[in-house]
Amino acid sequence: MTDQELVKKAFEMHQFSYVPYSHFPVGAALLTEDGRVFTGCNVENAAYGSAICAERTAVLKAVSEGCREGWTAIAIAGQGEDYCWPCGACRQVLYEFAPGLRVLAARGDGDYKEVSLAELLPCGFGPSSLQ
Ligand code: THU
């Protein structure tokens, strides 16, 4: 799967986003080294703080299906002019399982930028920090 194809899968998740409050759909697609893809969308809630981001939806799908390792990249697709960088909570949740993850952040026109999770969350606190 190419990066471009992963970004496309993230955009395809906009159709499932539940965004009656922000009207800002976000899709995510998490790729593993054996070629599996776990997708996610944002799911909002009338109690606003109970919303979950697209990235964490994808993470929870992967982990709950027994896939905790070998994550290579995540594509995140928003809309509008800005690249859709993961929020702080999602950076932390991704760091738990894949501190070296490649992050592809896309904006509405399909253009995207690649950064590493380590760049987005320097000096992160992870499992090894507890040892
Ligand atoms: N959102 C995501 O799903 N991922 C991000 O990286 C940024 C924000 C969602 C949360 C909320 O449903 C909407 O975008 C507006 O903040």
Side-chain angles (χ1 to χ4, degrees):
M1 157 121 1
T2 66
D3 286 353
Q4 194 92 49
E5 288 167 341
L6 194 66
V7 169
K8 185 165 180 277
K9 281 199 177 293
F11 273 110
E12 285 169 2
M13 291 306 290
H14 281 189
Q15 65 184 304
F16 301 122
S17 287
Y18 176 70
V19 288
Y21 308 107
S22 74
H23 305 288
F24 188 82
V26 180
L30 176 66
L31 178 67
T32 68
E33 60 193 8
D34 58 1
R36 298 172 75 187
V37 176
F38 295 92
T39 54
C41 63
N42 50 342
V43 181
E44 298 183 346
N45 191 275
Y48 296 168
S50 298
I52 186 164
C53 293
E55 301 92 309
R56 273 178 287 159
T57 303
V59 165
L60 297 183
K61 284 170 72 176
V63 174
S64 63
E65 292 182 22
C67 182
R68 299 177 187 167
E69 296 173 348
W71 302 1
T72 57
I74 188 168
I76 308 157
Q79 63 179 16
E81 294 178 4
D82 288 343
Y83 296 96
C84 194
W85 303 110
C87 77
C90 288
R91 294 178 195 200
Q92 181 66 37
V93 169
L94 289 165
Y95 191 85
E96 177 78 14
F97 299 99
L101 194 66
R102 293 191 307 121
V103 176
L104 311 173
R107 62 184 186 191
D109 68 0
D111 189 36
Y112 62 91
K113 287 190 172 171
E114 176 183 340
V115 293
S116 68
L117 184 59
E119 287 174 83
L120 294 175
L121 189 64
C123 307
F125 188 91
S128 63
S129 308
L130 291 172
Q131 287 165 7

